[in-house]
Amino acid sequence: MTMTSAEPDRTATPTLGAITHVALTVRDVAVSVPWYQQLIGADPVLDEDTGPFRHVVFALGDTLLGLHVFPEGIEDVAHTPRRPGLDHVSFGCADRNELAAWERRLDELGIQHGGIVDAGYGSGLSFKDPDGLPLELFCPPSA
């Protein structure tokens, strides 16, 4: 078989693995860490100042969620998904019942959200962290 320039060489392409971690830049870890502790229901597994930044990390199964803060501060501009970069971070739920349980939990924590939105590709529940970073809980469509 002769490969044309339009056909990629699959033997040379390594497999891209699962996402191992997500790092979010926050304004104030004294505000964000307790907020995420309440949301996640667990303490961070790491709190380290590396010099260029401090990061506080939570374990979510096989994925790590890091909160970064920079000693010199950050640009104080509101997040927008219309700027190149992060649009949102989505956390998986097993099914719509679990998603509904999360909706109740967000209500208990006083976290504003957009309610569950159902679509053909699944159901989502959107909300924001203390810095306005967009987060989502998402489950696949029901069978």
Side-chain angles (χ1 to χ4, degrees):
M1 173 175 145
T2 305
M3 189 166 34
T4 67
S5 60
E7 297 173 6
D9 180 3
R10 299 274 182 223
T11 60
T13 304
T15 301
L16 187 62
I19 294 173
T20 60
H21 68 275
V22 173
L24 303 174
T25 299
V26 299
R27 286 182 176 84
D28 186 349
V29 290
V31 172
S32 294
V33 169
W35 190 89
Y36 277 92
Q37 281 176 304
Q38 277 195 313
L39 177 70
I40 295 167
D43 292 331
V45 296
L46 176 70
D47 184 343
E48 176 182 52
D49 190 337
T50 65
F53 61 89
R54 176 179 170 199
H55 59 175
V56 179
V57 180
F58 293 88
L60 307 173
D62 293 335
T63 306
L64 299 175
L65 175 66
L67 306 179
H68 286 195
V69 65
F70 294 87
E72 70 276 5
I74 61 171
E75 296 176 11
D76 198 15
V77 293
H79 173 80
T80 173
R82 304 228 180 249
R83 183 178 55 228
L86 175 75
D87 182 277
H88 69 281
V89 176
S90 184
F91 304 97
C93 293
D95 54 34
R96 201 171 186 294
N97 288 336
E98 186 177 13
L99 191 61
W102 270 107
E103 183 177 38
R104 291 188 299 276
R105 176 69 177 147
L106 294 179
D107 288 340
E108 290 168 6
L109 294 172
I111 298 173
Q112 292 184 339
H113 56 80
I116 296 174
V117 176
D118 297 310
Y121 54 84
S123 299
L125 175 61
S126 298
F127 58 105
K128 294 183 179 179
D129 84 348
D131 286 302
L133 296 174
L135 305 174
E136 177 186 54
L137 296 154
F138 183 83
C139 70
S142 8

